């Protein structure tokens, strides 16, 4: 470079394309990995073309989710052949579950980093720069959260914060206890400090994340803090307006957490409480350790504390051994709960899980059941959305919408709400009246 030339902005920075699959915890992990790579001089780019590194943060929960990795790697192959300097990394739950098998199947992969080892990513990238393929799928003794750089200068208005990771429940269909390891709760003081940092950088809502977030039990000053105590402490932070938590297990909905939905205005009236099936026989075969009636009574107690709470759920259809009568019991449970929304999946056998070897339900039968269940849930969801018309809600503005002057935010109940108003900006918490409803979103007008 001659002395008169000035460096271009961003010169010397390397480009990282980061793609995230799966759950909110992967979204949080991707943000942390982007921060760790930022400290190494990497900036994010939207496309794999032109990137110096592509990192795929993967999900192993169902076969379709994990196969996406291999189709994406197939698409990356020509890029890697054209530019051998391009580094390709695989992170997350497929990395954890399949480890070296990924590099065997796809030799273009330079780095495999499991979900518990991503604080070691920068060192692995340096090793890859030196021409070494790199694999780390350990569950290290050190705390990855404490080995990551500080959070970035700006936070999204609605931020995620992992408070608990892993699962000891071992539902017979689920890979999470294997990909995320056993349940670990972060110390409350660290969580409170990270929350304060997020708020100082613009967050107004925090969603506490954990595979079993309501099993949170952090030790603080020798005392055992449950999730309710953590939420109460977070609620005292000025500038934090909204608190949510996900995902909860029905068996860990404690009385004090339920009471908090009545007593703590910052705790939002939304609860994701998966049940998977309405048949006691299937719940037992799934190793869920609760009955359909236990679940219904828990929902009743929650609604007694907070009558307007929006309840969502997860369902698996076609679990091995599911009969028509079992499926009818699931439909009956859905009728009894009346969900604001729910996710539903056809059972997918996962290698290494106890249910994987059991005789499957006929695929066509499972598909037909899934359609019936989804139609019922869509009816409930649409009715719940329509019941919002005319109601006043808080909306946290998150981003501009597709139309000029339009903004998108989330209601207290986590509905997507579209508002038209010139004066809105991300991070504003506004009151709005809902004027229109669709199955997946609402429209409203700002009040005052
Ligand atoms: N920790 C949460 C979520 C786990 S994964 C919980 O306890 O509910 C999210 C959802 O994926 C599950 O609730 C379940 O409905 C679905 N799921 C998990 N394993 C599955 C499998 N093998 N086949 C189909 N769906 C599955
Ligand atoms: Fe998976 Fe069950 Fe644990 Fe949820 S509670 S993560 S479904 S094993
Ligand atoms: Fe998928 Fe792992 Fe989350 S398997 S759902 S990314 S915990």
């Amino acid at each position: 470079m001659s002395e008169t030339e000035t460096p271009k902005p961003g010169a010397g920075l390397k480009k990282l394309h980061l793609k995230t699959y799966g759950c909110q915890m992967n979204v949080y992990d991707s943000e942390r990995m982007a921060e760790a790579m930022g400290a190494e001089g990497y900036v994010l780019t939207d496309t794999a073309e032109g990137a110096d590194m592509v990192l795929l943060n993967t999900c192993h929960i169902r076969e379709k989710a994990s196969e996406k990795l291999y189709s994406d790697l197939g698409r990356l192959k020509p890029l890697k052949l054209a530019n051998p300097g391009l580094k390709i990394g695989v992170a997350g739950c497929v990395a954890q579950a399949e480890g070296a098998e990924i590099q065997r199947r796809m030799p273009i992969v330079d780095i495999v980093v499991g979900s518990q080892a991503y604080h070691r990513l920068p060192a692995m990238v340096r090793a890859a720069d030196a021409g070494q393929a790199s694999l780390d799928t350990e569950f290290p003794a050190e705390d990855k959260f404490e080995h990551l750089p500080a959070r970035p200068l700006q936070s999204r208005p609605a931020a995620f914060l992992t408070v608990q990771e892993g699962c000891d429940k071992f539902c017979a269909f689920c890979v999470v206890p294997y990909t995320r390891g056993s349940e670990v709760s972060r110390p409350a003081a660290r969580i409170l400090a990270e929350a304060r940092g997020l708020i100082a950088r613009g967050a107004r809502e925090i969603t506490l994340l954990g595979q079993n977030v309501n099993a949170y039990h952090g030790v603080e000053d020798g005392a055992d803090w449950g999730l309710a105590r953590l939420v109460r402490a977070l609620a005292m932070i000025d500038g934090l307006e909204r608190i949510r938590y996900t995902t909860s297990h029905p068996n860990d909905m404690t009385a004090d957490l339920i009471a908090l939905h009545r007593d703590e205005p910052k705790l939002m009236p939304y609860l994701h409480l998966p049940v998977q099936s309405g048949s006691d026989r299937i719940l037992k075969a799934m190793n869920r350790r609760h009955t359909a009636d236990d679940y219904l009574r828990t929902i009743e107690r929650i609604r007694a504390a907070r009558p307007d709470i929006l309840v969502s759920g997860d369902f698996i259809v076609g679990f091995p051994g599911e009969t028509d009568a079992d499926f009818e019991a699931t439909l009956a449970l859905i009728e009894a709960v009346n969900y604001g929304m729910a996710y539903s999946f056809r059972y997918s056998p996962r290698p290494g899980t106890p249910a994987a070897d059991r005789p499957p339900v006929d695929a066509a039968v499972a598909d037909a059941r899934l359609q019936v269940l989804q139609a019922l849930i869509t009816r409930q969801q649409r009715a719940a959305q329509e019941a919002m018309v005319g109601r006043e809600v808080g909306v946290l503005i998150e981003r501009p919408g597709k139309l000029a002057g339009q903004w998108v935010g989330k209601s207290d109940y986590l509905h997507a709400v579209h508002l038209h108003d010139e004066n809105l900006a991300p991070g504003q918490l506004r009151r709005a009246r809902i004027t229109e409803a669709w199955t997946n979103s609402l429209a409203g007008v700002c009040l005052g």
Side-chain angles (χ1 to χ4, degrees), residues 11 18 43 50 91 142 166 191 196 210 213 243 249 278 297 302 356 415:
L18 178 48
V43 290
E142 78 253 22
I191 295 165
R196 283 191 207 96
V213 72
I243 303 169
H249 191 283
R297 277 189 285 123
I302 293 159
H415 304 105

Side-chain angles (χ1 to χ4, degrees), residues 110-426:
D110 302 290
I111 294 168
V112 176
V113 58
S115 34
Q116 300 306 325
Y118 62 69
H119 56 296
R120 296 178 177 173
L121 181 62
M124 297 173 76
V125 172
R126 275 179 247 129
D129 280 336
Q132 295 164 321
S134 208
L135 169 90
D136 193 340
T137 53
E138 276 177 53
F139 287 95
E142 78 253 22
D143 179 349
K144 71 177 171 198
F145 297 103
E146 300 315 313
H147 287 76
L148 289 164
R151 309 298 319 256
L153 292 177
Q154 207 177 355
S155 169
R156 290 184 282 132
F160 292 138
L161 204 176
T162 293
V163 304
Q164 177 277 342
E165 191 165 352
C167 181
D168 294 338
K169 299 247 183 326
F170 291 93
C171 298
F173 50 82
C174 184
V175 293
V176 170
Y178 314 97
T179 63
R180 293 277 175 175
S182 53
E183 259 181 48
V184 176
S185 294
R186 295 177 67 191
R190 304 266 166 78
I191 295 165
L192 292 168
E194 190 172 330
R196 283 191 207 96
L198 287 168
I199 295 155
R201 292 171 179 88
R204 306 201 68 190
E205 169 179 312
I206 291 181
T207 300
L208 306 176
L209 299 181
Q211 269 83 37
N212 279 297
V213 72
N214 56 344
Y216 175 82
H217 55 91
V219 174
E220 206 53 59
D221 290 334
D224 197 355
W225 283 38
L227 186 66
R229 185 149 180 198
L230 180 66
V231 170
R232 276 200 296 273
L234 283 162
M236 283 158 65
I237 302 177
D238 279 342
L240 178 58
E241 308 292 346
R242 290 171 148 193
I243 303 169
R244 306 181 189 277
Y245 59 92
T246 199
T247 295
S248 299
H249 191 283
N251 290 0
D252 295 313
M253 281 313 296
T254 57
D256 56 348
L257 187 57
I258 292 174
L260 214 54
H261 278 284
R262 179 191 60 220
D263 300 333
E264 178 47 66
K266 289 186 181 180
L267 185 57
M268 290 293 102
Y270 172 89
L271 180 67
H272 184 57
L273 199 61
V275 62
Q276 317 298 353
S277 168
S279 153
D280 288 344
R281 223 175 55 81
I282 294 298
L283 287 169
K284 193 155 196 288
M286 287 176 163
N287 192 31
R288 289 288 295 184
R289 297 178 214 207
H290 59 74
T291 63
D293 194 52
D294 294 335
Y295 179 82
L296 290 172
R297 277 189 285 123
T298 301
I299 298 287
E300 261 172 35
R301 285 160 56 219
I302 293 159
R303 285 192 170 139
R306 183 77 204 228
D308 62 337
I309 198 161
L310 190 148
V311 175
S312 66
D314 287 345
F315 291 90
I316 294 179
V317 168
F319 186 77
E322 185 186 74
T323 63
D324 283 341
D326 295 318
F327 179 62
E328 291 298 325
T330 300
L331 296 179
L333 178 138
I334 295 171
E335 293 281 7
V337 173
N338 193 15
Y339 286 94
M341 70 154 299
Y343 301 94
S344 48
F345 314 96
R346 193 178 120 188
Y347 168 69
S348 169
R350 306 307 291 131
T353 59
D357 306 325
R358 300 181 196 166
V361 167
D362 178 78
V365 171
D367 279 336
R369 286 180 189 160
L370 186 59
Q371 279 189 21
V372 171
L373 184 145
Q374 285 181 339
L376 171 59
I377 289 192
T378 303
R379 275 204 301 283
Q380 293 190 343
Q381 183 173 332
R382 187 165 301 159
Q385 298 273 114
E386 277 163 11
M388 292 304 297
V389 175
R391 286 189 49 192
E392 196 186 312
V393 289
V395 179
L396 178 63
I397 309 301
E398 291 187 2
R399 58 188 163 83
K402 290 205 181 92
L403 308 175
Q406 185 191 52
W407 291 86
V408 187
K410 291 282 165 56
S411 78
D412 304 331
Y413 307 93
L414 207 59
H415 304 105
V417 183
H418 296 264
L419 298 171
H420 273 277
D421 196 314
E422 297 296 307
N423 303 317
L424 294 177

Side-chain angles (χ1 to χ4, degrees), residues 45-109:
T45 174
D46 286 341
T47 57
E49 287 77 19
D52 298 286
M53 177 166 176
V54 175
L55 184 59
L56 305 173
N57 191 15
T58 58
C59 173
H60 195 57
I61 201 79
R62 285 168 291 276
E63 189 181 357
K64 258 194 204 149
S66 55
E67 282 305 312
K68 259 191 212 143
L69 165 66
Y70 291 102
S71 53
D72 280 352
L73 286 174
R75 272 195 291 275
L76 288 172
K77 209 168 168 181
L79 285 182
K80 175 82 172 179
L81 292 178
N83 171 18
L86 171 67
K87 277 188 292 295
I88 298 184
V90 177
C93 290
V94 182
Q96 192 65 51
E98 296 186 2
E101 169 67 13
I102 297 171
Q103 279 160 320
R104 201 194 53 74
R105 215 172 133 180
M106 282 288 183
I108 59 164
V109 173

